[in-house]
Amino acid sequence: MKKILVFLKKNLVFVFLVIVLGILGYGVNLIHKTRQELKKVEEEIKAKHEEIRKYQTQKELAPSPELVNKLEKQYAAIAGQFNSLLNRFSTTYPESPEFKVFPNVEFKEFLFETNDLLAKKARRNNVVIPSSFGFQETGFPPKDQIPLFSLQITVIKHILDLLIDSGVSVVNSVVPGIPSTVAFYKILPLDVSIIGTSVEIMRFLRYLNNPSSFFTVESFAVTRKGSGLFQGNFKINAVMIEKAATVPETVSVAKASGTGSSSAPQPQPGPQAPVPVQPAR
């Protein structure tokens, strides 16, 4: 028993790391299952929505009022489940600035201001961060690339705020990828490499798991660097849901007027599907 206690005392940090990693693994798996469930519900909503709308162009195949009522109830039930999931996992999401007057100049001001703010915050917290994140600092970028760069810089600022607040020793790199659109939300991948103590790395992971965070961890690897330091390499997704991504829970359908009418009921236009976010260019 004494040997076990001595072993635990000597390796308390590693035991703690293993426990936390186990909890994190469970959390990542739970998030993955939730995303699968959300995608399944979304597909069911789309199928029901198209089933109702097709009768606008194929009036001869319009269903009876009884079938319309049945579809309305099914749509309302699925829409309610969808909105419930959306509300449970929604949070605040980054909004990249729009530059309308002098886009090139305004973008460069935004880039330099963001770099300056992050550098000052890192110095106050004794955190080493890269002096540049790969964005062009001389000349002007192509105008059609400014929305993409603005979104990437905005997301980088959010992840670096978490990294600096967690007190990691060094941020080796933060490399943003190209955003992709999935139905009503947008995903921007990030490759993040940091160096810190086990406590600092665990604190950063805990911040990512905060309900107010819009980041999800796809995978990570931690290796020992010596002197109590570890290097963590993470593949992270910034999941940004449209604020208007909600589905009406009721469908308005006109009923056949009058009794004994031989004409089929004419469904009114159903609710519009959520407008997907267009990926930045």
Side-chain angles (χ1 to χ4, degrees), residues 199-212:
V199 174
E200 293 166 353
I201 292 177
M202 291 304 105
R203 188 184 296 124
F204 169 60
L205 288 170
R206 182 163 56 85
Y207 286 172
L208 291 178
N209 196 42
N210 191 293
S212 64

Side-chain angles (χ1 to χ4, degrees), residues 20-35:
V20 174
L21 288 177
I23 296 174
L24 272 171
Y26 173 79
V28 170
N29 183 57
L30 181 62
I31 291 174
H32 180 68
K33 288 183 178 179
T34 302
R35 289 174 61 189

Side-chain angles (χ1 to χ4, degrees), residues 157-192:
K157 182 181 183 302
H158 278 77
I159 196 70
L160 275 171
D161 280 336
L162 294 181
L163 286 165
I164 294 171
D165 289 340
S166 66
V168 298
S169 303
V170 179
V171 178
N172 293 324
S173 62
V174 177
V175 181
I178 303 299
S180 59
T181 298
V182 183
F184 55 88
Y185 58 94
K186 183 182 296 183
I187 294 178
L188 192 149
L190 294 164
D191 287 332
V192 178

Side-chain angles (χ1 to χ4, degrees), residues 258-270:
T259 57
S261 173
S262 61
S263 60
Q266 304 295 325
Q268 295 296 324

Side-chain angles (χ1 to χ4, degrees), residues 26-152:
Y26 173 79
V28 170
N29 183 57
L30 181 62
I31 291 174
H32 180 68
K33 288 183 178 179
T34 302
R35 289 174 61 189
Q36 288 181 328
E37 183 179 356
L38 191 63
K39 184 177 180 181
K40 180 180 178 182
V41 172
E42 175 203 352
E43 291 173 350
E44 290 178 354
I45 291 175
K46 283 186 176 180
K48 295 299 180 183
H49 179 71
E50 292 300 323
E51 186 175 356
I52 293 175
R53 284 185 61 86
K54 73 178 182 179
Y55 294 113
Q56 292 178 322
T57 55
Q58 301 177 14
K59 295 181 179 180
E60 69 279 4
L61 300 178
S64 65
E66 292 77 14
L67 181 56
V68 171
N69 289 333
K70 179 181 178 181
L71 292 175
E72 284 180 343
K73 292 178 182 179
Q74 291 178 351
Y75 182 93
I78 296 174
Q81 295 175 8
F82 175 85
N83 287 330
S84 175
L85 287 171
L86 189 63
N87 292 331
R88 283 179 58 193
F89 294 97
S90 288
T91 180
T92 56
Y93 300 98
E95 294 184 6
S96 55
E98 295 182 2
F99 311 118
K100 298 181 179 179
V101 183
F102 300 106
N104 288 330
V105 176
E106 293 175 71
F107 168 75
K108 295 304 285 287
E109 290 177 347
F110 171 64
L111 172 61
F112 292 141
E113 180 183 4
T114 302
N115 285 343
D116 187 52
L117 288 174
L118 290 172
K120 289 179 179 178
K121 182 174 182 178
R123 284 196 296 270
R124 287 197 304 269
N125 290 270
N126 296 319
V127 176
V128 178
I129 66 173
S131 59
S132 172
F133 297 97
F135 297 98
Q136 180 181 346
E137 296 186 358
T138 59
F140 296 108
K143 188 175 180 179
D144 61 348
Q145 293 294 305
I146 289 179
L148 169 61
F149 295 159
S150 299
L151 177 63
Q152 290 175 330

